[in-house]
Amino acid sequence: FPTRRSSDLVRFTADGVNPVEIIITQSALTFTNPITIGGNIATMPDPYIVKDGDYYYTCKASGNGIAISRSTRLTVINATTKKWSLPYEGPSKPWNIADLWAPELFHIGDRWYVYYAAGRRGQDGITGYGTQRSGVLRSKTNDPLGEWEDMGMLFTGYDYQPGVKPTAANTEYAIDLTTFELKGQRYAVWSGNGTDAVQQIRIAKMSDPCTINSSMVVLSTPTQSWETMDGRKINEGPAILVNEEKGKLFIVYSCNPSWTKNYRLAWLMLDMNEGDPMNPNDWQKSGNYAFWRCDNTKEPVSGVNGLGHCTFTKSPDGTEDWIVYHAMRYSDGGWGQRYPFVQKFTWNADGTPDFGEGAGWGESLLLPSGETL
């Protein structure tokens, strides 16, 4: 077997038809999904992997804490170490004592930041997840494997006033928060809802990585048939994807309930040169869902039965685009059956992403370019 990739162009010709060219790649360097965590196949909902320099950093919820690990390989997650835990209930009644969800890790300037959701379920007679809000951690040094400090809740409400202190009372349900910068302005994007239980993609401006300093604006409400497959109206898990060559910025989001086989991805698109991120009219929604697979398998047959909550990264040599997401193992598996997958994707001529079809459970794929065993 070859020890590296070998690619050749093969041209097929025949009288009376146009020639067909295909590229054949030969390699023994393959991997299978789901990718392993600490050498084992294990669940990992809402997977988050970010490339920084020569390393891939994985950030995940671990009980009521946040765990991080580092790897030189995209397709292998090393065992994570818990770096921070939610506070305990006390006289000050912290807002974030339970249900830590979907942490995301960012290197901004000379610090690292983690955005996460948590709430107060189990206290003061609270039985549901209505108190879930978004908060932010900041690393004490430029090392994400070092110590962290809690920078508090982020303002995710309508009526922003300078100097306002975010509380559960003046904000709304807010999960899956992510961030991006465009033309020197930083933005926060998240999934939220008021009292009607319709989860929307929302956006606000930030004055720094720890502070939202504007009222929120709704960018997307689930209205399309492929967003409301079983009657639930959910847009969540926003992830930022940029096509620099075409000048397009995408919010790739998940729709339908995450515990069902209908979970899938769609996108919102903004012209980075002409569009205003805070103007909903400047965002175009995909005409249909953009990524999905359902094998309709039930235990004990493993398959891919709904997928979503993604993020994006590059191959080790920076030449390929890769999507990181979770897939559900069984069609009736629920929240406890979400596993981490990675897959290469390409771009359409109009600048929109072409994710293809979700990779199968145990399917062999070529390693990311530049990754070695």
Side-chain angles (χ1 to χ4, degrees):
F1 290 99
T3 57
R4 61 180 178 83
R5 295 196 206 196
S6 176
S7 298
D8 288 293
L9 178 68
V10 179
R11 182 181 176 90
F12 297 92
T13 62
D15 292 340
V17 296
N18 293 328
V20 174
E21 294 182 346
I22 61 172
I23 295 175
I24 297 177
T25 301
Q26 183 184 24
S27 177
L29 304 181
T30 62
F31 74 98
T32 59
N33 281 308
I35 58 175
T36 58
I37 306 173
N40 301 304
I41 294 178
T43 59
M44 184 180 173
D46 310 332
Y48 194 86
I49 300 175
V50 59
K51 187 177 187 294
D52 192 78
D54 294 330
Y55 294 104
Y56 292 94
Y57 292 91
T58 295
C59 180
K60 65 186 288 286
S62 179
N64 274 351
I66 291 171
I68 300 173
S69 69
R70 185 174 71 180
S71 175
T72 57
R73 300 181 60 187
L74 172 58
T75 62
V76 175
I77 298 174
N78 289 331
T80 59
T81 301
K82 186 177 287 188
K83 307 305 300 182
W84 182 83
S85 296
L86 293 175
Y88 293 103
E89 177 73 333
S92 62
K93 292 187 175 295
W95 68 273
N96 54 344
I97 65 169
D99 303 309
L100 194 152
W101 294 348
E104 297 197 1
L105 177 67
F106 292 84
H107 195 184
I108 304 172
D110 62 354
R111 291 290 186 271
W112 290 78
Y113 299 85
V114 170
Y115 299 93
Y116 69 97
R120 287 187 55 80
R121 186 174 65 94
Q123 300 292 329
D124 303 326
I126 298 170
T127 57
Y129 298 103
T131 60
Q132 290 292 95
R133 298 293 186 271
S134 290
V136 57
L137 310 178
R138 184 176 66 188
S139 65
K140 292 186 177 181
T141 68
N142 201 14
D143 180 8
L145 300 179
E147 296 183 350
W148 289 80
E149 56 185 336
D150 187 357
M151 305 303 292
M153 184 192 295
L154 290 159
F155 184 81
T156 52
Y158 280 108
D159 187 21
Y160 174 79
Q161 300 294 327
V164 64
K165 180 180 178 180
T167 66
N170 62 20
T171 58
E172 291 190 341
Y173 179 89
I175 63 171
D176 302 342
L177 191 140
T178 193
T179 185
F180 71 94
E181 185 174 313
L182 181 63
K183 298 179 181 179
Q185 174 64 58
R186 182 159 294 279
Y187 299 87
V189 180
W190 68 94
S191 173
N193 64 260
T195 58
D196 59 4
V198 177
Q199 276 182 240
Q200 304 164 320
I201 302 299
R202 299 175 169 189
I203 190 171
K205 293 182 178 180
M206 304 184 81
S207 57
D208 61 65
C210 297
T211 309
I212 289 176
N213 68 335
S214 79
S215 298
M216 69 176 178
V217 172
V218 174
L219 295 183
S220 176
T221 295
T223 58
Q224 302 303 305
S225 60
W226 41 268
E227 294 178 295
T228 57
M229 297 289 290
D230 63 353
R232 294 289 297 268
K233 296 181 178 181
I234 298 176
N235 284 177
E236 65 178 18
I240 305 304
L241 176 62
V242 175
N243 187 332
E244 294 282 2
E245 180 181 353
K246 298 292 187 178
K248 306 296 184 183
L249 186 147
F250 297 86
I251 297 174
V252 181
Y253 65 93
S254 303
C255 49
N256 299 302
S258 62
W259 58 92
T260 73
K261 63 184 181 182
N262 292 321
Y263 207 46
R264 63 193 67 197
L265 297 180
W267 49 253
L268 306 173
M269 180 176 65
L270 178 79
D271 185 316
M272 293 195 298
N273 298 314
E274 303 295 335
D276 175 5
M278 296 293 289
N279 183 355
N281 294 326
D282 286 351
W283 292 89
Q284 175 187 338
K285 181 176 287 193
S286 55
N288 204 334
Y289 66 85
F291 194 41
W292 183 57
R293 179 173 177 141
C294 181
D295 298 330
N296 268 320
T297 60
K298 294 186 178 181
E299 194 171 1
V301 180
S302 299
V304 173
N305 300 279
L307 54 82
H309 202 117
C310 66
T311 188
F312 302 97
T313 189
K314 291 280 190 177
S315 60
D317 64 7
T319 65
E320 296 174 343
D321 292 297
W322 284 70
I323 182 172
V324 181
Y325 59 97
H326 73 236
M328 199 160 66
R329 189 171 191 170
Y330 308 120
S331 60
D332 54 357
W335 275 341
Q337 294 292 335
R338 294 174 291 174
Y339 290 79
F341 278 53
V342 297
Q343 184 172 336
K344 178 184 172 182
F345 71 94
T346 57
W347 298 91
N348 297 309
D350 63 358
T352 58
D354 181 359
F355 299 125
E357 183 184 27
W361 187 283
E363 178 183 349
S364 291
L365 301 175
L366 289 176
L367 284 177
S369 183
E371 180 171 317
T372 56
L373 298 176

